[in-house]
Amino acid sequence: MGPQPQTEALSEPDFGMAINKIQFDIQVEFRRPRRWLLADMLPIVRCDRIMPCIDSVPLTDLIDRFELEAGMRPAGGAYGGLIPAYSRCLRLDDHFHGRSTMATGSKTPVLVCECGEWGCWPLLAEITVTDDLVLWDCAEQPDRRARDYGTFGPFRFDRKQYDHALRNLIKPIRSDIA
């Protein structure tokens, strides 16, 4: 297990560690529900995914590259973005501030299995929030506890930029049609 983030130290600038930029992209998908007996009779539904991007690179690409270079198997193509519709009480602002009801212990799912199920192959991270910074650290794959993610991250974000990206994610969709 890697070192635990220290909240007090985060508010002090650390010029040796880069500040990353985050954005939350929405990937729109249309699919049929996976009830195989009724698949042809069920309607196609919209099923959006939230993809965190760090320094303009999807988090799935970053973790795939890390796992493949580390020789982890399975690796590559295992993760997908979060599907809010698969969680009943998810508040995205709470979730991405580490206060989610979907958190497992002190860690929060930042990616899930490519199938979209929250409990299937999640990538967890410790999310620490201070007045000035947000830190994603101590990543782990709970289905493969022996894997070492100690050199994946940490990712540090300016709190104002992080909150701005989060506000853009959760603002309601407005129609341009009058």
Side-chain angles (χ1 to χ4, degrees), residues 96-171:
F96 286 110
H97 281 117
R99 301 182 307 257
S100 176
T101 57
M102 299 303 289
T104 55
S106 66
K107 297 193 176 181
T108 302
V110 291
L111 292 175
V112 294
C113 176
E114 55 86 25
C115 77
E117 293 297 330
W118 285 69
C120 179
W121 206 259
L123 179 67
L124 306 178
E126 184 85 34
I127 299 177
T128 305
V129 179
T130 71
D131 291 341
D132 301 321
L133 295 170
V134 177
L135 177 73
W136 287 13
D137 196 14
C138 303
E140 77 174 54
Q141 170 40 261
D143 296 325
R144 299 289 191 270
R145 297 247 181 231
R147 291 184 174 192
D148 181 8
Y149 289 88
T151 57
F152 185 70
F155 300 105
R156 293 170 42 123
F157 310 104
D158 174 79
R159 173 73 187 267
K160 288 179 184 174
Q161 189 275 317
Y162 189 93
D163 286 347
H164 178 75
L166 200 49
R167 276 192 304 277
N168 284 340
L169 173 65
I170 61 178
K171 80 168 108 172

Side-chain angles (χ1 to χ4, degrees), residues 11 17 19 32 59 75 87 108 113 129 173:
S11 61
M17 201 168 188
I19 299 293
R32 290 188 189 274
L59 188 55
S87 170
T108 302
C113 176
V129 179
I173 299 172

